[in-house]
Amino acid sequence: MVIDKQTYEQKVYVKGDVLMDTPSSLFLRGDTLWVGQRGSWITKLCGDSLYSFRVEGIDEFYSGGSPQIICIGPDGDLFMAMLDHLIRVEDEYAVEELWIPTAVLEEEITGMDFDSKGTLWITSMGSVKESALCRYTKEGGLEFVTTDFGSFRALDIDENDNIWLASNYCVVKYDGNNFSSILRTGSLIEKIRFDTQGVLWILCRDGVLKSFDGNNCTDFSFTLENKEHFRRMDVDNDCIYISTNKRLLIFHDGEFSNLEVSSAIEEVQLCKDSRMPERIYNLAGQRVGATYKGIKINKVIR
């Protein structure tokens, strides 16, 4: 769903003719929204223009997976994270694949972001101290940063290229040489993000949003329903958008408000140069996804 921030007009994109599968990750750069989907599909949305492609050349074990993170580099390269697998994509093809060591397969890369010099910083949860934080450049490849933490849940980078990291209950700053413990939250951290004023916002699962201005930490609490918890956050100027497992919230001027989400689906027009993936049908004439296993018939011989 894409929501206009001024009018709150909502446009819904669904699995089918527009999206090959349910979105697994989102990345916004400029006015282009990148959507990751199961089966290594990527869709780009810009206004009413859409373009979908499947990343080819990925290791067979990961090729049907869903990118949990998408990130676009300064030179336009696409980076995807699938579990503990980092993939660099050029011209819709995986040109480099790197593994982040984790203790168990279920653990994964949790954050990716570029600093001002074009270095990609990567965090992971895998109970392996040697790979909880690493950095990537085309020249140097993947480098691991030694840390006392075995897992990081999120990261963000400030205007001075300091790397801010969130473990389960602690926020840490890395200045390129040393790690400094900034604050302990007492509740599980889901996301951290800087606003345009340099204030760090910390989203905690139990309904607490914290702000840290470099000296003081302020708590803002929201009463959650039964079995509800904070999940994701993004900061846009003086508004903070927060998703729970049940709804979407806006935090502004120290107060939380609900954003009503419409279930209506609007028609989406494709521009002429948009190329959609080939439609696939089974022998019963039913439309199926690109990952459907069956027999492909190129020509019928009577």
Side-chain angles (χ1 to χ4, degrees), residues 157-194:
I157 302 175
D158 66 21
E159 59 182 7
N160 297 314
D161 280 344
N162 294 307
I163 314 301
W164 293 70
L165 307 153
S167 66
N168 286 343
Y169 305 99
C170 181
V171 176
V172 178
K173 183 177 76 171
Y174 177 62
D175 63 7
N177 296 301
N178 300 301
F179 289 88
S180 302
S181 180
I182 302 300
L183 61 89
R184 296 187 179 274
T185 60
S187 56
L188 188 65
I189 301 172
E190 289 286 3
K191 193 77 174 178
I192 59 174
R193 182 68 66 193
F194 281 100

Side-chain angles (χ1 to χ4, degrees), residues 255-267:
E255 295 184 356
F256 294 89
S257 60
N258 279 305
L259 178 59
E260 296 296 331
V261 177
S262 171
S263 59
I265 298 175
E266 300 182 11
E267 181 180 358

Side-chain angles (χ1 to χ4, degrees), residues 14-20 50 52 270 276-277 279 281 287:
V14 298
K15 176 180 175 181
D17 287 341
V18 177
L19 299 177
M20 287 302 299
L50 295 100
S52 293
L270 300 181
M276 296 302 294
R279 297 187 178 190
Y281 299 84
R287 177 105 183 256

